[in-house]
Amino acid sequence: MIKNKSNGQFSAVVDDVKAAPFSDLQERLDAIQDSGMTALAIRNILFHKMLDMHAVPNDHYLRDEETPSRLDDPKLIEKLNELGFFRSKPSLQLH
């Protein structure tokens, strides 16, 4: 009976053959959460990484604001762009 199993005992199931990196990432995230980090803390880290990718300075007021509930909200990117912050693109190196 499935009632006695905790949610932590189920592994991620990936149908796509090309999804091995996602499966690896899921395993890493599971290990991080198993070590005690909460989903809210992970979301906060991802928010600050997003700010890093948009070159928002460490002392900017956005870094002191509460982490948005939806990091995929287009309004968040619009706000960053309105403030003059754009996602930095990696430089392409030709060999």
Side-chain angles (χ1 to χ4, degrees):
M1 185 162 234
I2 210 158
K3 285 184 181 178
N4 296 333
K5 274 195 165 184
S6 70
N7 288 341
Q9 294 176 344
F10 294 104
S11 61
V13 177
V14 180
D15 292 334
D16 190 352
V17 176
K18 298 177 184 176
F22 296 112
S23 182
D24 294 342
L25 179 60
Q26 182 64 53
E27 288 176 15
R28 288 187 203 165
L29 287 170
D30 289 343
I32 289 169
Q33 284 188 302
D34 290 344
S35 71
M37 184 173 277
T38 66
L40 294 175
I42 293 171
R43 189 178 74 203
N44 187 37
I45 290 169
L46 290 173
F47 174 64
H48 283 275
K49 185 63 180 172
M50 178 189 293
L51 295 180
D52 290 345
M53 292 175 67
H54 284 81
V56 176
N58 287 336
D59 60 349
H60 196 274
Y61 78 90
L62 284 175
R63 294 194 181 266
D64 295 330
E65 286 188 350
E66 187 175 323
T67 301
S69 59
R70 285 194 52 211
L71 296 180
D72 63 339
D73 187 353
K75 291 179 184 176
L76 182 58
I77 301 299
E78 288 174 17
K79 181 177 180 179
L80 287 168
N81 292 343
E82 286 173 5
L83 293 170
F85 299 114
F86 298 90
R87 185 172 177 174
S88 57
K89 295 187 168 106
S91 61
L92 297 175
Q93 295 181 359
L94 298 176
H95 295 275

